Amino acid sequence: MRDALAGVVWDALRPVLADRRLDIVDAGGGTGGFAVPLARLGHAVTVVDPTPDSLAALERRAAEAGVTVTGIQGDAGDLGELLPPGSADLVLCHSVLEYVEDPAAALAAAAGLLRPGGALSVLAANPVATAVHRALAGNFGEARRALADTAGRWGEKDPTPHRFTPEALTILLAKAAFTVGEVHGAGVFADLVPDRLAEADPDGLAKLERAAAVHPVLRDIATRVHVLAYR
Ligand SMILES: C[S@@+](CC[C@H](N)C(=O)[O-])C[C@H]1O[C@@H](n2cnc3c(N)ncnc32)[C@H](O)[C@@H]1O
């Protein structure tokens, strides 16, 4: 994930990361891109991920950072069977809802893990951005299909099973009995500008992304949608 895009997510998370040590579950946490920095901040972090290679890389990354992160092999839909109910203050579901078989069931399982008042941080791919990217590559039919398809897919060869507009994600979260809080757009420009321009002024790009993340129009065309929701 580009730094400018991750910066938007970290900014949104900062108010949730209180002074006290939180119990955090990172569903689909992979190699620990979020989990390890959270552990370094002093939180107790558990990663649930189905891929043994990712969990092995997570263990190495945590050891290099001098922290402990608990890795559990499993599916986000099975969170309720893998961990005790009401045992988490914060659940992350970053770039994983796209791949789970039943996103609604995964969100319900995340809700069951949270203590009352606990927070869920969801980051998911936005089909509107996919349409923009397909169109800029000259694939106009695929762009049109991404906009029309209920799963936001651009075609049979699309490797991503689901994408979510801000509206669709908000509805899904409300159905899982979450109170939806802040909605941000993560990555409006970072994936559109050529690498050489992004690398020439990373600070300028990060500041622009922070402004675009809360802009009422640009937010909704970001590559990823970030939502904070509360139990
Ligand atoms: C794009 S990576 C995101 C990793 C991490 N959350 C991040 O933001 O850096 C997607 C991760 O989801 C995991 N994943 C795929 N299907 C999953 C499922 N059904 N339940 C939990 N994790 C899953 C993959 O193994 C992978 O580590």
Side-chain angles (χ1 to χ4, degrees), residues 6-107:
V8 168
V9 179
W10 281 108
D11 280 356
L13 281 177
R14 206 154 285 130
V16 179
L17 302 173
D19 293 338
R20 68 192 171 88
R21 176 180 161 97
L22 300 179
D23 291 315
I24 300 176
V25 176
D26 191 352
T31 60
F34 282 91
V36 171
L38 286 167
R40 289 190 69 180
L41 289 174
H43 301 292
V45 188
T46 301
V47 166
V48 174
D49 200 286
T51 313
D53 285 354
S54 295
L55 291 174
L58 163 72
E59 202 177 325
R60 286 195 297 275
R61 196 174 193 170
E64 276 164 23
V67 294
T68 303
V69 174
T70 305
I72 298 177
Q73 191 179 350
D75 192 288
D78 298 331
L79 286 174
E81 287 138 48
L82 297 167
L83 291 161
S87 59
D89 303 297
L90 171 64
V91 175
L92 306 186
C93 199
H94 289 175
S95 308
V96 65
L97 216 52
E98 295 92 323
Y99 305 102
V100 303
E101 207 173 305
D102 184 345
L107 291 180

